[in-house]
Amino acid sequence: LRVRGASQVVQVCREGEKVLRGASMKDIAVIQGENGRGVGLVVDGNGLIADLGFDDVLDAKYSDWSFKETVLANGSSVLPGFVDAHTHPVWVGDRVNEFAMKLAGATYMDIHKSGGGINFTVQCVRSATHKELYDPLVQRLWSMMRCGTTTVEAKSGYGLETESEVKMLEVLNNARQEHPMDLSITYCGAHAVPRGLSSDEATLSIIEEQIPTISDLSSKGQIHVDNIDVFCEKGVFDLEQSRRILAAGKREGWRINFHGDELHPMGSGELAGELEAAAVSHLEEISDAGIAAMSQCGSIGVLLPTTAYMLRLRQPPARKMIEKGMAIALGSDFNPNAYCYSMPLVMHLACVNLRLSMEESLVAATINAAAALGLSDVCGSIEVGKKADLVILSAPKWENIIYQFGCHRDCIQHVIKEGNIV
Ligand code: NIG
Ligand code: FE
C-alpha cells in the first residue's frame, strides 16, 4: 500500500521511543508537507511501515515496487491508529434504564447494591451462549474500528465463576483470531463479588479455582490471556485481596493492569508500585504517594474520562500526574455503564475535563496506551517496522479529530489496519 499526498503525517513519537512521560507528552513528531510537496508512506506486503516522508523522495526510492493499492490522501492528515487501553466489550442485556436512575441521583454503588450494574450484566452473560456473546462483540469491534481504534484491551469479568469467565475468554480469543482488531485480553474474574459469596470466599475461588483452570487451558494453547485485573474498591475487593489476586496472576506471567482508586482512595497507586503493575485504570482518588510510586516504577495511569463524566466523579489529577513524570494513557471504558467506544470523543473529554493538551491526549491514546499493554514496540506510532495501523483524516490538520467532537465520522476518511483499508 502507498499513501500519498497528505499534508501531514503525525508520527506521534520519535524512532525507538516506547512511552512518553511528563513534559515530553507535549512533544509529538510531525512530518509536514510544504507548498505542493505532499507527504506519505510506503507499506510492505506484511502490512508493516517500510518508509515515510516526502512523496517525491519516496517515489524515486520505491520506483521498482508495485503497490496493490494507493490511497490518495490529498491534503489530509495521517495519524497512527488509536489504542483503547480499557474496555469491557463482551456482554448482553440492556442497562439503558440505569442512565435515568443516575440522572435522578443514584450513584454507581447504589445501582450496584440494588442488583443492577455489574450484577445484572453477570446474570445475562451467564445465561448467554458463546454465539450470543460473540456476535455483539464483533459488531462492537467494527464500530470501534470505524472510530479509528486498531488495538483494544478487552476484559472478561461478567462471569465471576470459572465456567462463565472461561466462556468470555474463549469468546475474546475467537474474536482475536477472526477479527482484524488487535486484542489484548484481560482476565477480570475479580470485577465484582458474585452474589452468594463473601469477598474472602470470592478471592479464594479466584486464586484456587479460576486462575488454575485458566492457566491450564492457556498452557494447552486453548486460550490466551495477556493481563490480570481486579476492581480494587470499597465494598468490592480490598487492598489485601487485590494484592493476593494480582500476585497470583503475575505468577502466571500475566501483566498486572487493574481498576484502582476510582470511588475511594484505596492505596492502589502504592500497590502498583509494590507489584510493579504495568498499568492502573481510573485513579480519580489516587494519593500523592500513589502518584510517586507509579511514576517511579513506570506504571502507566489509564484515565477513563467517559466514566468520570457519566458518573459525575471527581476528575483524576491528570496535570499533577504529568508534572510528576507519570505516563498517562486513555481508554474508552466501553461497558454497559459508560456506552462509548469513540477514542476521538475520549480525547476530547480528556482535553476539556482532564485539562490535557491535544498533543498529550493523542500521545495517551496511541503510544502510551500501547505501552500500557506492552505493545509499544509494534504499534502506537508511525514508525518504520511498526504495523501500518493508520487513521486518515479528511482535514489537513490532525487536531480536527479532537476538535470536531461527537462528529468524528465526518472527519475520518479511512482507517487502515496492517496495510488493509477497513
Ligand atoms: O470500569 N468500575 C468497574 N467496572 C467498570 C464498570 C462495569 C459495569 O458497570 O458494568 C468500569 O467503569
Ligand atoms: Fe472498567
Side-chain angles (χ1 to χ4, degrees):
L1 180 85
R2 175 82 169 87
V3 178
R4 54 177 304 129
S7 75
Q8 53 184 196
V9 174
V10 182
Q11 290 188 272
V12 175
C13 67
R14 272 159 253 280
E15 205 85 11
E17 275 176 324
K18 298 279 178 260
V19 67
L20 300 185
R21 291 174 177 231
S24 73
M25 286 186 72
K26 272 212 186 81
D27 206 14
I28 64 168
V30 181
I31 302 178
Q32 190 70 47
E34 39 189 53
N35 311 342
R37 243 183 131 198
V39 288
L41 36 101
V42 172
V43 179
D44 71 16
N46 298 318
L48 302 178
I49 297 167
D51 213 339
L52 61 157
F54 285 105
D55 284 328
D56 47 7
V57 177
L58 295 177
D59 286 343
K61 207 164 152 190
Y62 295 90
S63 58
D64 57 339
W65 282 35
S66 61
F67 296 104
K68 261 201 233 139
E69 216 155 1
T70 298
V71 175
L72 287 176
N74 283 354
S76 69
S77 42
V78 183
L79 298 173
F82 306 128
V83 179
D84 187 340
H86 184 133
T87 76
H88 306 251
V90 187
W91 52 271
V92 286
D94 189 351
R95 278 168 54 190
V96 68
N97 61 312
E98 290 177 13
F99 186 49
M101 291 166 75
K102 282 172 260 192
L103 295 180
T107 67
Y108 183 76
M109 278 303 175
D110 292 340
I111 294 170
H112 185 70
K113 284 182 191 138
S114 73
I118 295 179
N119 285 327
F120 173 80
T121 306
V122 167
Q123 270 180 315
C124 301
V125 167
R126 282 183 179 174
S127 57
T129 63
H130 183 100
K131 185 172 165 31
E132 284 164 350
L133 294 173
Y134 182 78
D135 290 347
L137 168 64
V138 164
Q139 278 184 17
R140 289 165 191 158
L141 294 176
W142 282 123
S143 302
M144 290 172 177
M145 211 169 237
R146 282 194 293 267
C147 296
T149 300
T150 47
T151 299
V152 62
E153 184 267 4
K155 303 174 194 295
S156 71
Y158 292 120
L160 310 186
E161 37 88 1
T162 309
E163 194 190 328
S164 307
E165 283 296 314
V166 168
K167 176 172 68 181
M168 291 187 76
L169 292 170
E170 284 170 347
V171 166
L172 284 166
N173 272 267
N174 233 358
R176 192 167 177 262
Q177 278 155 6
E178 308 278 320
H179 195 279
M181 184 75 85
D182 273 317
L183 290 180
S184 177
I185 297 179
T186 303
Y187 161 65
C188 187
H191 195 196
V193 177
R195 283 204 191 117
L197 295 189
S198 70
S199 58
D200 272 332
E201 289 166 338
T203 304
L204 217 61
S205 116
I206 288 162
I207 295 173
E208 295 189 346
E209 204 191 305
Q210 293 182 32
I211 292 180
T213 305
I214 292 162
S215 154
D216 192 44
L217 289 171
S218 86
S219 64
K220 289 186 196 138
Q222 291 178 16
I223 53 177
H224 170 92
V225 172
D226 299 289
N227 319 291
I228 177 144
D229 192 349
V230 170
F231 189 11
C232 178
E233 183 55 61
K234 217 166 157 179
V236 193
F237 293 95
D238 68 21
L239 195 68
E240 180 48 29
Q241 292 162 339
S242 301
R243 178 185 282 119
R244 283 165 54 208
I245 294 167
L246 294 171
K250 192 175 181 178
R251 286 195 289 276
E252 300 299 332
W254 301 333
R255 309 170 77 258
I256 295 181
N257 186 330
F258 67 106
H259 291 71
D261 293 339
E262 177 185 357
L263 307 172
H264 299 91
M266 297 292 292
S268 302
E270 293 88 328
L271 183 64
E274 179 192 321
L275 297 175
E276 296 183 322
V280 185
S281 291
H282 287 291
L283 300 175
E284 284 81 355
E285 302 289 340
I286 191 172
S287 69
D288 288 351
I291 292 177
M294 288 185 70
S295 169
Q296 212 201 329
C297 84
S299 181
I300 296 177
V302 179
L303 306 184
L304 309 171
T306 59
T307 317
Y309 165 77
M310 265 289 304
L311 297 175
R312 297 177 174 144
L313 303 178
R314 188 156 84 156
Q315 299 293 334
R319 290 261 46 103
K320 195 192 263 182
M321 292 170 176
I322 291 174
E323 232 168 73
K324 300 288 178 194
M326 246 179 89
I328 285 178
L330 289 171
S332 69
D333 199 17
F334 175 75
N335 77 73
N337 173 56
Y339 198 112
C340 172
Y341 42 67
S342 161
M343 288 304 285
L345 185 58
V346 167
M347 288 189 279
H348 181 90
L349 290 172
C351 288
V352 175
N353 289 340
L354 302 182
R355 298 175 185 276
L356 263 51
S357 67
M358 287 196 273
E359 289 79 6
E360 289 168 337
S361 283
L362 182 65
V363 164
T366 54
I367 188 72
N368 281 9
L373 308 177
L375 296 174
S376 62
D377 50 343
V378 292
C379 64
S381 65
I382 300 184
E383 252 182 275
V384 172
K386 281 194 173 181
K387 292 184 180 187
D389 293 351
L390 309 168
V391 181
I392 299 182
L393 304 185
S394 51
K397 288 190 183 151
W398 69 268
E399 291 93 333
N400 279 280
I401 191 68
I402 300 181
Y403 163 68
Q404 296 182 20
F405 66 107
C407 343
H408 51 260
R409 288 231 182 148
D410 300 338
C411 193
I412 296 179
Q413 200 170 50
H414 293 296
V415 177
I416 291 171
K417 178 66 191 152
E418 288 169 58
N420 295 309
I421 301 173
V422 177

